[in-house]
Amino acid sequence: MIATALVLLFVLIGLSIPVGAALGVLGLILDPLYSMLPLTRAMGELAWSTNNEFLLVAIPLFILLGEVLLRAGFAERMYAAMSLWLSWMPGGLMHANIGASTLFSATSGSSVATAATVGTVAIPQIRRYGYNEPLFLGSIAAGGTLGILIPPSINLVIYGVLTNSSVPKLYLAGIIPGLLMAGLFMAVIAGGCLARPGWSGHQVRASWGERFRGLVHLAPPLGIFLLVVGSIYAGLATPTEAAALGVLGALILAACFGRLTWAMLRGAVEGAMKSTAMIMLIVIAAGFLNFIMSATGLTDAITGSMSGLGLSPAWMLLIVIVFYVVLGCFMETLSMMITTIPIIAPIMIGLGYDPIWLGIVIIVLVEAALITPPVGLNLFVVQSLRKAGSMDAVIVGTLPFVLAMFFMLALLAFFPALALWLPGLFG
């Protein structure tokens, strides 16, 4: 049964069927094969119950927040300010890619949106300043992955819903690993450019006066971050209400800077609707597939086979890491989370792992899946922004950053307090 389900899943994905449709079709195939009852008749009720979750309303709101900030032009000014402060380091504007991605991640909650936003502004600088193209592109793709680790993160909301974990605690848990991950990415860039000085390109020079004047452009995203996250931890708003506050704050800022127009607003809403429709289709299809798997006994079979291995918690963690790395090469990240977490999380939590810590580990693994071929979404986003060149350059450029993610996983395994200290402090 397990082998049949896996083979069918990989065949459907291999046929280039959209992931949301592939998950739903897999459920439709497994139903008559292994169920005595027509489980598909519950599809309507499942679609309603899956979406009838107040916390999920935060998803379209966070997407809309990122769209407004992007279309209001804050991203360009933020990147320019970051370049003034970070371009003196070995690697120059590649550090600005990471810094801008970190700051934009604190407002968008989406890796794809972060990579697209920073990439649109940054990629023209490659030839202008003579940077090593693969490493520069890799820094954009890797920096974009921070969007699902640094709060407010859409994927952390999904994990919280699936495991009934506290989203505010998950947000706190993601702050230190997210900043540390950004630091590791910058260390990779600096190390590579110190070893190969030609990769750094021409240095962008700026006076201290220009740097301090540029700080004003960092204020809008920082203000939105403080509004969203601060309202949550001050007890003034739930994550969903905080997302709505963030959208309101972004609209007010856009109006203050003269960027709030009907055309901008319409484009932001349309972009948010498209992304939300894609995400919720995956959520509904994965919810239906999980129902089929549970009703036919497939979930129990997988859980039993993993538990029956009799491995220690450390070995089981290693197996989970390998599992996600391999699966991430073939499956879109959100659908991977929704289909696997209901199976993996109870096993790992039963072995004594903290659910908040486990959520951060899984998110880091999902980050790696975003920049590993053949279906790493950020790879395609960065490639789509280029005017010429093959995907190979993007893939090669991300490899050092994937190694940095594995180093981050080792740090989390040996020092769980990196993820648990802040939730324990405020909890």
Side-chain angles (χ1 to χ4, degrees), residues 8-31:
L8 287 172
L9 177 61
F10 287 130
V11 167
L12 291 171
I13 293 176
L15 292 173
S16 298
I17 297 175
V19 174
L23 296 176
V25 170
L26 179 59
L28 293 173
I29 295 174
L30 293 177
D31 178 22

Side-chain angles (χ1 to χ4, degrees), residues 49-69:
S49 61
T50 300
N51 286 279
N52 190 23
E53 172 63 55
F54 178 69
L55 196 55
L56 291 177
V57 179
I59 293 176
L61 290 173
F62 280 132
I63 295 173
L64 180 59
L65 170 58
E67 289 280 347
V68 171
L69 290 176

Side-chain angles (χ1 to χ4, degrees), residues 99-148:
S101 295
T102 303
L103 193 54
F104 194 78
S105 296
T107 58
S108 73
S110 166
S111 286
V112 172
T114 301
T117 301
V118 176
T120 301
V121 182
I123 285 179
Q125 313 304 324
I126 297 176
R127 295 187 177 179
R128 181 180 178 185
Y129 293 103
Y131 285 99
N132 175 267
E133 189 170 28
L135 188 61
F136 196 99
L137 295 171
S139 69
I140 298 172
T145 65
L146 297 170
I148 63 171

Side-chain angles (χ1 to χ4, degrees), residues 271-306:
M273 289 175 63
K274 290 177 182 178
S275 298
T276 301
M278 177 192 70
I279 290 173
M280 295 314 298
L281 174 62
I282 294 173
V283 170
I284 292 171
F288 172 66
L289 177 60
N290 285 333
F291 170 72
I292 296 294
M293 291 170 62
S294 298
T296 58
L298 183 57
T299 300
D300 291 337
I302 296 173
T303 304
S305 62
M306 294 186 69

Side-chain angles (χ1 to χ4, degrees), residues 101 104-106 108-114 142-157 159 170-171 174 178 333-334 336-337 359-360 362-370 378 405:
S101 295
F104 194 78
S105 296
S108 73
S110 166
S111 286
V112 172
T114 301
T145 65
L146 297 170
I148 63 171
L149 183 57
I150 296 175
S153 163
I154 293 172
N155 292 61
L156 284 176
V157 172
Y159 177 87
L170 287 166
Y171 278 180
T333 53
L334 188 62
M336 179 173 68
M337 285 183 63
I360 301 305
I362 290 178
I363 291 298
V364 174
L365 288 167
V366 170
E367 283 188 305
L370 282 166
N378 281 18
M405 290 178 177

Side-chain angles (χ1 to χ4, degrees), residues 62 106-107 151-152 168 171-172 175 221-239 241-243 245-246 426:
F62 280 132
T107 58
Y171 278 180
L172 282 174
I175 293 175
L222 282 174
I224 294 296
F225 173 76
L226 292 175
L227 176 63
V228 173
V229 177
S231 63
I232 293 175
Y233 298 113
L236 300 176
T238 65
E241 293 165 345
L245 283 174
F426 287 89

Side-chain angles (χ1 to χ4, degrees), residues 306 309 311-327 344 347-348 351 353 357-358 361-362 365 405-407 409-410 412-414:
M306 294 186 69
L309 295 175
L311 298 175
S312 66
W315 276 106
M316 188 62 74
L317 176 61
L318 184 60
I319 288 177
V320 168
I321 290 173
V322 173
F323 170 75
Y324 272 106
V325 169
V326 174
L327 193 62
I344 298 295
I347 296 173
M348 300 301 288
L351 290 172
Y353 287 108
W357 176 88
L358 179 65
V361 169
I362 290 178
L365 288 167
M405 290 178 177
F406 286 124
F407 183 69
L409 287 171
L412 285 169
F414 288 106

